[in-house]
């Protein structure tokens, strides 16, 4: 049985294809359209999934969409009615689009699918509720036979937070928190307030938080929300405008905190860092209360997480260290893109009664390497076509050349095998560097990624060396857990260094791997496993042999505002438009000095700032 899952029309559209319970392919539309967070119908992502499965749409048994448009429309109407006469301008703006396109989404989906296959029958098109799709994306690929599932995001149809129980192939949502009371929308409100883009800039708030103090957390808990001991809460909607307005917050919100919304190009002050630290602290407290109550009420020993809030790896690390669950598994594509995968798995396990065979150890995500790959002859053909100069080497030689370049302080673009599904680069479409360099974070942010200087970078570490370098000893293959750098690798700081506040603390090297050590000595860890990414694992082994360090800086292969690269051509364009020193695509090694100077360009100007 083949099932195609689709998410679209909000943000991070994607497609995923499951065959007889095995995840064959999954990819976001943005990787093909080159439009960040592309919300459009994922035609190219679907075409890729069909190619990977070597089938046509006619050979797919079911197509499952990740949410139910009529329920969303019901929520929209009831919300405007509840807040009337406020929000008239927003209502007038939203209604034409809903009536023209979204209300009759089954017809729209049918038309789009008929473009792919004119014989497609809409009777094969099914719909799953948004939070059920998220929960399915977390439980069904997990290694657990049974688990509690916590989904937290902005909003689906009505649900903003939900708890489900999974047993074998059965998954049932047992409780929900409904709109407008939303942890995701609360975090997004502070994302907006600190001057970043909603549905894209939340990770910047999380990265900014360690530079501040959570001095406004009591104010948030006292005035903005009523938080109960079990983690349920209600927001005071007098401070928010997302129900009926065109922004997240209102003037009353600004008066409460004493400053206006920061302009996107405005300076970041200590106030903004303290606000970021405060909403991060509140988010962690809510998540901890939720997970503690779920553990107590269900008696489950395993927990699965999904929804956009599950990408908050700092909160995830707190849940892990809290120890209420024996094991935790987080869907790597936890946001709306992962809803496509959840929808496909619902079609197979729930509608199709397909079996699961979890082993309690490994998940079904294949390391999240579920996107397109390119064979060596095709890589060489594509690189020649864009004028690239390269050397071709065998597997061992390409590993040696890359490790030597990294050990010499060079920054390397790395394109190998199947592209990752989800927002994190995991060693398939990555920029790699030496974490031992005190200057590397600044170099990567300013000269290569061309983004804000406070943004942290993640360490990729050999799984077998994890416990020697970080205070963590569980698998973290998807870069979704934050842990402290091992005390044996931390630097002793002077009194003056310890007293530095805000962004002035950036210059202090806090460990032997300063490029991946945040100001609070934490790091967003990726464990690298030979079973799922043998070439990346081999590269880390060779780098360790050369340097004694089994850790590399691993960040996504793109610049600010650009989707992660997919093809060899996209990798080459990014390489030639930044200060990357070398590029390795398959078995092709490209040195920047050997490339035609005429191909250099200002790559970042091709994309809007995120």
């Amino acid at each position: 049985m083949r099932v195609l899952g689709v998410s679209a029309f909000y943000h991070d559209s994607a497609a995923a294809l499951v065959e007889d319970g095995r995840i064959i392919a999954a990819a976001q539309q943005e990787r093909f359209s080159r439009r960040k967070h592309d919300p459009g119908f994922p035609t190219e992502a679907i075409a890729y999934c069909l190619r990977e499965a070597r089938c046509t749409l006619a050979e797919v048994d079911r197509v499952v969409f990740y949410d139910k448009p009529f329920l969303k429309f019901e929520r929209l109407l009831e919300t405007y009615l509840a807040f009337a006469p406020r929000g008239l301008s927003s209502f007038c703006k939203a209604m034409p689009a809903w009536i023209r396109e979204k209300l009759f989404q089954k017809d729209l989906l049918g038309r789009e699918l008929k473009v792919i296959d004119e014989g497609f029958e809409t009777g094969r098109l099914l719909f799953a509720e948004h939070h059920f799709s998220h929960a399915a994306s977390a439980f069904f690929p997990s290694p657990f036979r049974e688990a509690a599932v916590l989904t937290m995001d902005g909003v689906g149809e009505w649900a903003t937070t939900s708890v489900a129980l999974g047993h074998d192939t059965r998954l049932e949502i047992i409780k929900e928190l409904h709109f407008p009371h939303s942890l995701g929308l609360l975090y997004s409100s502070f994302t907006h307030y600190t001057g970043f883009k909603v549905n894209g800039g939340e990770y910047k708030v999380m990265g900014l938080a360690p530079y501040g103090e959570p001095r406004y957390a009591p104010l948030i808990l006292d005035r903005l929300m009523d938080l109960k001991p079990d983690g349920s809460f209600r927001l005071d909607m007098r401070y928010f405008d997302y129900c009926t307005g065109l922004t997240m917050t209102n003037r009353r919100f600004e008066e409460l905190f004493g400053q206006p919304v920061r302009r996107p190009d405005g300076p970041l002050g200590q106030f903004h860092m303290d606000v970021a630290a405060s909403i991060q602290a509140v988010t962690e407290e809510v998540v901890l209360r939720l997970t503690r109550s779920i553990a107590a009420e269900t008696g489950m020993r395993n927990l699965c997480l999904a929804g956009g809030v599950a990408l908050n790896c700092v909160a995830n690390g707190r849940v892990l260290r809290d120890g209420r669950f024996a094991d935790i598994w987080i869907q790597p594509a936890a946001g709306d893109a992962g809803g496509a995968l959840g929808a496909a798995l619902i079609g197979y396990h729930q509608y199709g009664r397909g079996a699961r065979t979890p082993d309690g150890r490994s998940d079904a995500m294949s390391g999240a390497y579920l996107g397109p790959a390119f064979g060596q002859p095709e890589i060489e053909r594509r690189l020649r076509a864009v004028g690239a100069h390269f050397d071709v080497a065998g597997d061992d030689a390409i590993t040696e050349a890359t490790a030597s370049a990294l050990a010499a302080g060079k920054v390397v673009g790395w394109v190998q095998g199947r592209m990752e599904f989800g927002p994190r680069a995991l060693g398939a479409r990555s920029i790699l560097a030496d974490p031992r360099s005190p200057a590397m974070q600044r170099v990567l942010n300013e000269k290569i990624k061309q983004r804000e200087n406070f943004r942290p970078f993640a360490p990729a570490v050999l799984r077998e060396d994890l416990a020697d370098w970080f205070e963590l000893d569980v698998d973290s293959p998807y870069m979704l857990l934050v842990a402290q750098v091992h005390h044996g690798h931390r630097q002793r700081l002077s009194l003056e260094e310890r007293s530095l506040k805000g962004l002035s603390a950036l210059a202090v090297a806090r460990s032997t791997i300063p490029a991946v050590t945040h100001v609070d000595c934490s790091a967003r860890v990726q464990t690298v496993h030979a079973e799922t990414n043998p070439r990346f694992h081999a590269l880390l082994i060779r780098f360790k042999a050369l340097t004694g360090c089994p850790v590399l800086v691993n960040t996504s292969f793109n610049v600010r505002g650009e989707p992660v690269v997919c093809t060899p051509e996209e990798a080459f364009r990014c390489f030639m438009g930044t200060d990357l020193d070398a590029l390795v695509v398959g078995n092709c090694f490209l040195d920047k000095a050997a490339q035609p100077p005429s191909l250099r360009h200002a790559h970042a100007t091709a994309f809007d700032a995120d």
Side-chain angles (χ1 to χ4, degrees):
M1 176 189 290
R2 295 191 184 99
V3 184
L4 176 68
V6 176
S7 65
F9 308 132
Y10 184 44
H11 61 90
D12 294 311
S13 295
L17 197 144
V18 171
E19 182 177 285
D20 295 334
R22 187 166 68 92
I23 304 167
I24 301 297
Q28 297 107 295
Q29 176 65 12
E30 68 164 22
R31 305 296 173 85
F32 305 96
S33 68
R34 311 309 298 158
R35 179 187 175 192
K36 189 89 167 180
H37 304 301
D38 192 338
F41 185 77
T43 301
E44 292 163 289
I46 291 172
Y48 155 68
C49 289
L50 295 174
R51 287 196 304 273
E52 194 67 35
R54 299 181 180 178
C55 71
T56 65
L57 189 57
E59 296 172 296
V60 171
D61 298 283
R62 293 185 179 92
V63 178
V64 185
F65 192 66
Y66 82 128
D67 70 8
K68 294 191 173 182
F70 273 110
L71 288 179
K72 278 193 173 182
F73 187 66
E74 174 190 87
R75 187 247 300 167
L76 191 69
L77 288 179
E78 289 194 21
T79 300
Y80 280 122
L81 182 63
F83 284 86
R86 287 171 52 198
L88 179 61
S89 60
S90 176
F91 178 83
C92 292
K93 183 177 180 179
M95 279 303 103
W98 265 96
I99 293 171
R100 184 176 62 251
E101 299 172 3
K102 298 182 180 181
L103 183 58
F104 303 103
Q105 214 159 78
K106 184 172 184 178
D107 292 339
L108 174 60
L109 288 165
R111 290 196 301 271
E112 295 284 3
L113 290 165
K114 284 179 184 292
V115 171
I116 298 171
D117 181 351
E118 63 181 17
F120 178 78
E121 300 171 358
T122 55
R124 286 187 286 150
L125 179 58
L126 304 173
F127 294 80
E129 288 194 26
H130 186 99
H131 267 234
F132 196 53
S133 294
H134 276 314
S137 78
F139 175 64
F140 288 135
S142 78
F144 311 135
R145 186 166 296 281
E146 62 177 19
V149 186
L150 175 60
T151 296
M152 303 167 288
D153 65 0
V155 60
E157 294 86 5
W158 279 104
T160 63
T161 302
S162 65
V163 179
L165 294 180
H167 299 270
D168 292 323
T169 61
R170 301 188 310 279
L171 182 64
E172 179 185 8
I173 292 177
I174 60 171
K175 60 170 64 176
E176 295 179 337
L177 185 66
H178 283 181
F179 182 87
H181 309 292
S182 166
L183 185 59
L185 291 175
L186 176 66
Y187 206 95
S188 292
S189 294
F190 282 88
T191 301
H192 162 76
Y193 184 60
T194 49
F196 303 116
K197 284 186 178 180
V198 172
N199 292 329
E202 285 78 5
Y203 56 91
K204 297 185 184 182
V205 177
M206 183 177 66
L208 189 64
Y211 297 97
E213 297 292 332
R215 63 182 77 252
Y216 299 103
L219 184 65
I220 296 170
L221 291 169
D222 182 53
R223 301 290 294 277
L224 295 187
M225 67 190 309
D226 177 17
L227 177 61
K228 303 299 184 184
D230 66 354
S232 62
F233 61 89
R234 292 183 67 83
L235 300 179
D236 187 338
M237 297 311 299
R238 293 176 299 172
Y239 294 94
F240 302 93
D241 210 26
Y242 58 75
C243 281
T244 57
L246 300 176
T247 61
M248 298 299 294
T249 59
N250 57 29
R251 188 174 298 277
R252 185 180 279 113
F253 188 103
E254 296 176 23
E255 291 171 352
L256 180 65
F257 289 93
Q259 289 200 26
V261 173
R262 185 181 76 91
R263 298 189 319 274
D265 59 348
L268 275 170
Q270 191 60 49
F271 169 76
H272 304 103
M273 300 172 207
D274 292 343
V275 167
S278 300
I279 186 57
Q280 178 63 34
V282 169
T283 298
E284 292 172 31
E285 180 63 25
V286 174
V287 173
L288 280 174
R289 291 192 189 190
L290 283 168
T291 53
R292 287 168 180 172
S293 68
I294 291 168
E297 292 173 17
T298 68
M300 286 288 185
R301 300 294 295 144
N302 302 315
L303 175 69
C304 299
L305 296 172
V309 178
L311 293 172
N312 193 307
C313 50
V314 181
N316 296 341
R318 290 284 305 278
V319 173
L320 177 69
R321 292 190 297 276
D322 195 47
R324 302 304 170 98
F325 292 91
D327 208 349
I328 297 172
W329 191 84
I330 308 157
Q331 167 54 238
D336 275 11
L341 176 59
L345 291 166
I346 288 168
Y348 180 75
H349 292 296
Q350 295 281 121
Y351 300 149
R353 307 293 183 186
R356 291 177 70 232
T357 56
D359 62 9
R361 299 182 305 277
S362 55
D363 63 51
M365 291 295 294
S366 301
Y369 306 112
L370 297 167
F374 301 87
Q376 185 62 28
E378 185 178 10
I379 289 170
E380 295 177 28
R381 177 181 62 78
R382 286 170 174 257
L383 289 177
R384 288 193 189 97
V386 293
H389 294 180
F390 55 88
D391 295 317
V392 179
D395 292 350
D396 291 343
I398 206 76
T399 299
E400 179 67 33
T402 307
S404 297
L406 290 165
K410 294 185 177 181
V411 183
V412 179
W414 177 257
V415 176
Q416 302 292 332
R418 297 184 70 177
M419 181 180 66
E420 303 93 337
F421 180 51
R424 311 293 190 210
L426 301 171
R429 302 293 186 275
S430 292
I431 291 173
L432 306 176
D434 187 344
R436 301 170 302 157
S437 167
M440 190 57 72
Q441 182 189 20
R442 180 185 57 80
V443 169
L444 287 171
N445 273 328
E446 295 179 6
K447 294 188 175 182
I448 294 172
K449 301 286 281 187
Q450 301 175 26
R451 65 185 195 181
E452 301 93 342
N453 64 350
F454 68 85
R455 301 274 291 277
F457 291 99
V461 58
L462 289 169
R463 175 61 179 93
E464 50 268 37
D465 289 316
L466 173 65
D468 293 332
W469 287 82
F470 301 95
E471 294 181 359
L472 182 70
D473 197 17
V474 299
D475 292 352
S476 181
Y478 304 122
M479 212 182 281
L480 287 171
L481 293 171
V482 161
Q484 294 286 298
V485 174
H486 194 284
H487 61 83
H489 292 285
R490 296 184 207 171
Q491 303 278 37
R492 183 171 301 211
L493 304 184
S494 68
L495 182 62
E496 181 182 0
E497 289 173 326
R498 291 199 302 272
S499 66
L500 292 173
K501 301 295 183 184
L503 297 184
S504 60
L506 265 172
V508 178
R510 299 172 187 275
S511 77
T512 59
I513 45 173
V516 294
T517 304
H518 218 337
V519 291
D520 57 358
C521 285
S522 68
R524 176 163 49 97
V525 178
Q526 178 201 357
T527 54
V528 180
H529 305 250
E531 298 80 10
T532 52
N533 197 331
R535 178 162 282 195
F536 194 30
H537 189 268
L539 177 63
L540 278 161
I541 287 176
R542 189 60 196 143
F543 183 77
K544 178 185 177 182
L546 293 174
T547 66
C549 177
V551 181
L552 284 171
V553 179
N554 179 14
T555 187
S556 56
F557 198 157
N558 60 345
V559 297
R560 182 180 182 184
E562 178 189 17
V564 177
V565 302
C566 175
T567 67
E569 297 96 325
E570 290 155 7
F572 183 72
R573 281 195 292 271
C574 189
F575 171 59
M576 294 301 295
T578 63
D579 285 342
L580 280 170
D581 298 300
L583 172 64
V584 183
V585 186
N587 285 52
C588 297
F589 190 96
L590 292 77
D591 190 298
K592 178 63 69 62
Q595 307 309 311
S598 62
L599 297 180
R600 294 297 303 265
H601 65 283
H603 189 63
T605 60
F607 303 95
D608 294 331
D610 59 8

